[in-house]
Amino acid sequence: MLTEDILPYNLIMSTEWIPKEGLIRRAYEFAEKAHRGTKRLRGEPYLDHCIEVAKYVSDWSLGETAIAAALLHDVVEDTEYTLKNIEKEFGLEIANLVDGLTKIETMEYPEKADSESLRKILISSTKDLRILLVKLADRLSNMRTVESLPPERKKKYAWETAEIYAPLAYRLGMQKLSGDLEDMAFPFIYPDEYKWLTKEVKDDYSERQEYAEKVVPIVTKSLKEHKIEPVSIDSRAKRYYSLYKKLLRYDMDMSRVYDLVALRIVVQTVEECYAALGAIHQLWQPMPNRFKDYIARPKPNGYRSLHTTVFALDNKILEIQIRTKEMHEENELGIAAHWAYQQVKSSAEKNKKWTGVKDKSEMLWMEQLSNWQKHANDEDDFLESLKVDFFKDRIFVLTPQNDIIDLPAGATPVDFAYRIHSDVGDNCVGAKVNGKIAPLDYELQTRDVVDIITQKNRKPSEDWLRFVKTSLAKKHIREVLNEDSRRIRKKLIIPQLETKMANDDRPGYLKEVTAVFGEMKINITFLQSFTDNRGALSSVIVRSDVPSPDRIQKLMVRLKKIPGTKEVNHKISR
Ligand code: MN
């Protein structure tokens, strides 16, 4: 069976994968309510599309925040609900993701822009990588139903998919997704060429497939002799669209395409990769200049594998790819495979405990990604054209336990401390960067190892607001400071006007007094009345806010006019 020769994504409308409670469930219910009654062009419920997009995002392990955003991605654009509603319900992070997705969707592309500029526009308008990943999932879902679009839009949509989104997926190391998107788009962009190619290639495919399967036992035996137990050996057919592009370069001469069907050997370790290569080269003569070591020098998108082309059985040309299981998974999933650490991090933050991914290789990978533009590869001219860097504004630092923390450029140890835990931030008194004491406003650099020094019962300083970069740190610092000032205000004795009155004791007097304060809109904070021993004279004490001096005079005049009043005096107490 050929792998990858059919589109691997089945229609997934099941909601069984959605947890019974929690964020994803809430997002699902919100989306269900928002899209209720809406249908897509083919007549299926609109919600199906949202579930499908979220399922892809879930399969790529992008974390529950991204999954929730995927469920909500069309709410702002297509329903009466606004971004404010989403922010109120799900918080700023998800609202920002949805906002980014809405902006991409409603983006006005320049009329005559080429695909290169469009890719740049798309990338530069995206601040959070997850926005692009959810967008790719959206594209994948929409491409599956692209048939239902009107002909004009269909072609344009397919073209965008092949020229903007598929290269983007490739760029992110998501080879499989990239190939899927291209192959889905191909028949709509070049219908005639597609027909020709599929017809032309069909016989070649099955012929070469049979051949590849014939050599598998020979390879297996040879590997065994070298004490290598492969995880799997299978054959992979070249994708149609990439084959088409290759044929354009080779005068449409199929016989010059050696990797129409390639044999893929998956082994356990890197050592075994090279050992297997040695075994293959002993078995069959390698074709000169066709060996590529993408393990020692990975492709800029992170792809790792050994490629060689040999004259195999019956002297026929066969391409062979050798990689580890881990490489294979990463080659398929790309950045999504590496994005998992984000999920660990954010859930750790929520659970108020800290567990991180302890793998420096991820760090290297992220760095590699951030260096795309510097390592332009001549095989891949898109790289050169891509001058926008996703990670331009981000730095990646480490905890002493090698957990990776990503922060905006310019972030300080205080930002780092709050990212780990609000208590660590509040109690932060100093920081060690790479083992040396550093000022709290030190500008952290990628690869710095940061250790926060804390003391119990410490408070953030107002001064920190001057230099912190993350809104998370700002929010926590302000919260603590506000809490403090509220406490101080309470303790402060606010000046009060104390008014004493004496009069003949009679019913209703107290009411008349309070009425005067009320009419003058002076707030009473304390009220007491006394009757003397003989019951003849009554005195009243009123404490109130302090009005302006002339209003105090007015107040005195009005109080004196109350019948039976003997005496009124006042003082301002502190
Ligand atoms: Mn959508």
Side-chain angles (χ1 to χ4, degrees):
M1 206 356 244
L2 284 179
T3 54
E4 295 182 355
D5 62 343
I6 43 160
L7 299 175
Y9 298 95
N10 302 315
L11 286 164
I12 314 150
M13 301 313 165
S14 160
T15 55
E16 270 165 37
W17 63 276
I18 295 175
K20 290 282 164 278
E21 51 191 31
L23 177 63
I24 297 170
R25 169 60 55 173
R26 284 197 294 123
Y28 166 72
E29 280 165 4
F30 193 97
E32 194 278 322
K33 197 170 66 180
H35 292 294
R36 195 176 292 167
T38 322
K39 293 209 185 315
R40 307 204 84 197
L41 283 174
R42 290 199 313 185
E44 77 273 26
Y46 198 92
L47 187 68
D48 280 6
H49 164 66
C50 309
I51 297 167
E52 188 187 351
V53 173
K55 181 65 167 71
Y56 297 144
V57 172
S58 167
D59 288 346
W60 300 340
S61 305
L62 297 182
E64 63 169 10
T65 307
I67 298 169
L71 281 163
L72 300 166
H73 81 274
D74 277 330
V75 162
V76 174
E77 201 201 334
D78 293 341
T79 77
E80 61 192 13
Y81 289 90
T82 65
L83 204 60
K84 274 269 160 273
N85 296 134
I86 288 180
E87 191 185 331
K88 195 161 164 258
E89 201 74 30
F90 298 100
L92 194 60
E93 192 182 5
I94 289 176
N96 282 340
L97 294 179
V98 174
D99 189 34
L101 285 156
T102 311
K103 280 191 181 132
I104 291 180
E105 201 54 50
T106 53
M107 194 187 296
E108 287 285 324
Y109 291 119
E111 188 73 18
K112 282 237 166 73
D114 57 337
S115 55
E116 183 188 308
S117 344
L118 293 183
R119 285 189 294 244
K120 279 186 195 168
I121 293 167
L122 181 66
I123 291 163
S124 60
S125 61
T126 311
K127 285 275 174 275
D128 189 316
L129 193 52
R130 287 173 298 179
I131 295 171
L132 284 180
L133 294 171
V134 176
K135 189 65 215 165
L136 287 170
D138 182 49
R139 221 357 108 136
L140 181 61
S141 166
N142 286 337
M143 277 310 290
R144 292 200 315 92
T145 57
V146 73
E147 187 63 67
S148 55
L149 288 179
E152 264 315 292
R153 277 194 63 203
K154 195 166 16 187
K155 189 168 179 180
K156 184 163 179 281
Y157 201 86
W159 181 85
E160 264 179 30
T161 302
E163 292 296 321
I164 302 170
Y165 290 94
L168 191 61
Y170 181 83
R171 175 62 5 99
L172 298 174
M174 306 171 88
Q175 319 261 115
K176 184 171 153 65
L177 174 64
S178 174
D180 286 349
L181 289 173
E182 282 185 342
D183 280 358
M184 281 191 239
F186 188 21
F188 300 102
I189 313 174
Y190 307 110
D192 297 339
E193 290 84 345
Y194 177 79
K195 259 179 234 153
W196 172 82
L197 188 77
T198 46
K199 188 170 157 285
E200 198 70 12
V201 86
K202 218 177 130 203
D203 293 344
D204 276 54
Y205 260 157
S206 43
E207 203 177 289
R208 292 205 208 186
Q209 179 67 19
E210 270 168 39
Y211 175 75
E213 274 163 13
K214 224 157 68 179
V215 303
V216 168
I218 303 171
V219 172
T220 311
K221 187 165 165 268
S222 165
L223 292 180
K224 215 166 227 167
E225 280 163 16
H226 288 79
K227 306 212 161 24
I228 302 162
E229 195 72 57
V231 176
S232 63
I233 301 180
D234 61 353
S235 45
R236 158 209 155 272
K238 192 160 191 66
R239 301 303 203 108
Y240 282 123
Y241 192 62
S242 78
L243 174 60
Y244 172 69
K245 282 189 294 188
K246 201 163 197 171
L247 284 172
L248 286 178
R249 296 203 299 271
Y250 291 166
D251 307 321
M252 293 305 186
D253 181 356
M254 202 82 80
S255 68
R256 290 169 66 190
V257 180
Y258 304 127
D259 60 346
L260 187 61
V261 174
L263 204 64
R264 183 181 284 161
I265 303 172
V266 177
V267 293
Q268 300 283 358
T269 64
V270 175
E271 290 72 39
E272 281 182 351
C273 289
Y274 290 99
L277 181 76
I280 301 282
H281 283 178
Q282 269 180 38
L283 185 64
W284 292 312
Q285 177 85 32
M287 208 172 159
N289 304 321
R290 293 281 304 177
F291 168 62
K292 286 185 186 128
D293 186 348
Y294 294 120
I295 295 178
R297 196 170 170 274
K299 284 190 184 181
N301 69 358
Y303 178 89
R304 289 183 300 161
S305 189
L306 299 176
H307 289 191
T308 189
T309 307
V310 293
F311 297 96
L313 193 64
D314 305 330
N315 221 19
K316 280 188 179 168
I317 294 166
L318 177 67
E319 187 179 286
I320 297 177
Q321 305 173 348
I322 308 166
R323 75 243 337 234
T324 66
K325 198 162 176 271
E326 187 198 357
M327 288 174 199
H328 182 58
E329 275 159 19
E330 285 179 13
N331 290 347
E332 301 279 281
L333 268 180
I335 197 167
H338 295 268
W339 206 250
Y341 88 89
Q342 276 282 11
Q343 186 188 9
V344 176
K345 196 177 62 183
S346 61
S347 69
E349 227 161 66
K350 267 169 213 137
N351 300 336
K352 302 244 174 197
K353 66 172 185 237
W354 179 247
T355 52
V357 177
K358 295 168 178 55
D359 182 3
K360 251 191 177 167
S361 69
E362 280 185 3
M363 181 78 164
L364 294 171
W365 199 83
M366 297 304 258
E367 206 174 70
Q368 187 181 23
L369 204 56
S370 75
N371 285 338
W372 273 348
Q373 73 206 60
K374 292 171 209 153
H375 296 278
N377 184 323
D378 42 21
E379 279 186 335
D380 192 0
D381 56 355
F382 174 31
L383 265 186
E384 275 176 304
S385 71
L386 185 75
K387 297 298 181 205
V388 187
D389 182 355
F390 292 118
F391 296 102
K392 187 175 58 188
D393 306 325
R394 308 296 292 179
I395 56 164
F396 299 92
V397 297
L398 296 164
T399 70
Q401 293 77 36
N402 273 349
D403 299 323
I404 303 164
I405 308 285
D406 82 301
L407 291 164
T412 64
V414 174
D415 293 294
F416 174 92
Y418 277 106
R419 180 58 71 84
I420 286 180
H421 195 285
S422 58
D423 288 346
V424 177
D426 288 348
N427 294 322
C428 163
V429 289
K432 276 189 192 165
V433 175
N434 304 323
K436 285 190 201 127
I437 296 284
L440 285 178
D441 62 356
Y442 168 79
E443 197 174 297
L444 293 171
Q445 307 292 320
T446 287
R447 286 180 161 277
D448 277 347
V449 178
V450 190
D451 196 0
I452 298 295
I453 305 161
T454 57
Q455 265 173 26
K456 275 190 178 161
N457 302 321
R458 295 295 294 233
K459 292 253 170 65
S461 150
E462 189 163 4
D463 195 43
W464 293 358
L465 289 171
R466 254 191 331 105
F467 57 74
V468 294
K469 284 283 176 300
T470 56
S471 48
L472 181 78
K474 279 182 198 152
K475 184 181 138 248
H476 280 299
I477 296 166
R478 288 214 182 93
E479 259 170 30
V480 176
L481 293 177
N482 287 344
E483 182 57 33
D484 273 5
S485 61
R486 249 199 306 282
R487 241 181 262 132
I488 291 165
R489 265 204 307 277
K490 261 189 190 166
K491 276 187 196 154
L492 270 180
I493 299 155
I494 295 161
Q496 295 261 290
L497 176 69
E498 190 173 294
T499 312
K500 273 188 185 170
M501 291 144 282
N503 77 319
D504 299 328
D505 192 32
R506 63 172 178 84
Y509 178 65
L510 206 56
K511 207 176 158 192
E512 285 166 53
V513 169
T514 56
V516 170
F517 279 85
E519 281 156 21
M520 289 190 67
K521 297 195 165 60
I522 300 167
N523 188 34
I524 294 173
T525 56
F526 176 87
L527 178 70
Q528 200 165 24
S529 64
F530 310 88
T531 306
D532 76 355
N533 294 339
R534 285 160 290 152
L537 197 73
S538 175
S539 64
V540 174
I541 300 173
V542 178
R543 280 193 215 127
S544 68
D545 292 349
V546 184
S548 61
D550 51 310
R551 290 185 71 221
I552 295 180
Q553 287 315 312
K554 246 182 223 162
L555 177 69
M556 295 305 127
V557 170
R558 288 190 61 175
L559 290 172
K560 277 174 190 159
K561 279 185 183 160
I562 297 176
T565 298
K566 301 280 181 225
E567 191 189 348
V568 179
N569 57 55
H570 71 276
K571 64 174 185 190
I572 293 170
S573 72
R574 297 194 174 270

